């Protein structure tokens, strides 16, 4: 289920770790088998300014989109959204919590 995929990032970074390439491949396979669309939603921790975090969250989502488009998925089937630091899944008071908040999630439309 691609709705359960989450991609984690280092603090302040939009670089996608190679460990997530398998998940991108699975999302690609899903999209090739049907005509569904997806929304890729980027998130950050609360370190840095709200404006910088919003931009970083969009950049993170855009990286995942670029990988899928590069694999042949039509750009029109992929939307990106950035939430910045506005939708944490964990506390930003600890490094463990901040790490969980630095993520990209996929939502099937």
């Amino acid at each position: 289920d691609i709705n359960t995929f989450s991609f984690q990032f280092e603090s302040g970074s939009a670089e996608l770790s190679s460990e997530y390439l398998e998940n991108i491949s699975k999302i690609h396979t899903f999209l090739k088998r049907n005509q569904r669309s997806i929304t890729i939603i980027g998130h950050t921790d609360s370190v840095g300014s709200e404006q910088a975090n919003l931009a970083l969250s969009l950049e993170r989502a855009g990286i995942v989109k670029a990988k899928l488009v590069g694999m042949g998925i039509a750009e029109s089937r992929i939307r990106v959204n950035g939430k910045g630091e506005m939708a944490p899944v964990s506390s930003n008071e600890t490094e463990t919590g901040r790490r969980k908040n630095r993520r990209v999630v996929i939502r099937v439309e």
Side-chain angles (χ1 to χ4, degrees), residues 57-103:
S57 68
L58 283 168
E59 186 178 358
R60 288 173 174 169
I63 292 293
V64 176
K65 177 180 179 176
K67 293 279 189 194
L68 290 167
V69 170
M71 296 170 80
I73 301 300
E75 194 169 345
S76 62
R77 294 177 59 199
I78 306 170
R79 287 185 286 198
V80 295
N81 191 349
K83 297 288 187 179
E85 60 190 67
M86 303 310 294
V89 292
S90 192
S91 170
N92 278 301
E93 299 301 315
T94 67
E95 176 53 34
T96 300
R98 289 188 296 274
R99 187 174 318 119
K100 290 178 183 177
N101 291 331
R102 297 188 298 261
R103 69 199 189 283

Side-chain angles (χ1 to χ4, degrees), residues 2 7 23-32 34-42 58-82 104-109:
I2 70 170
F7 302 87
N23 286 351
I24 289 176
S25 180
K26 288 178 182 178
I27 295 166
H28 172 261
T29 299
F30 171 84
L31 292 171
K32 283 298 214 186
N34 64 70
Q35 290 302 308
R36 306 280 299 271
S37 295
I38 62 170
T39 299
I40 303 170
I41 307 161
L58 283 168
E59 186 178 358
R60 288 173 174 169
I63 292 293
V64 176
K65 177 180 179 176
K67 293 279 189 194
L68 290 167
V69 170
M71 296 170 80
I73 301 300
E75 194 169 345
S76 62
R77 294 177 59 199
I78 306 170
R79 287 185 286 198
V80 295
N81 191 349
V104 163
V105 295
I106 308 295
R107 186 176 68 219
V108 177
E109 302 298 323

Side-chain angles (χ1 to χ4, degrees), residues 11-30:
S11 183
S13 173
E15 186 175 329
L16 188 60
S17 172
S18 61
E19 70 184 272
Y20 296 111
L21 295 180
E22 182 179 340
N23 286 351
I24 289 176
S25 180
K26 288 178 182 178
I27 295 166
H28 172 261
T29 299
F30 171 84

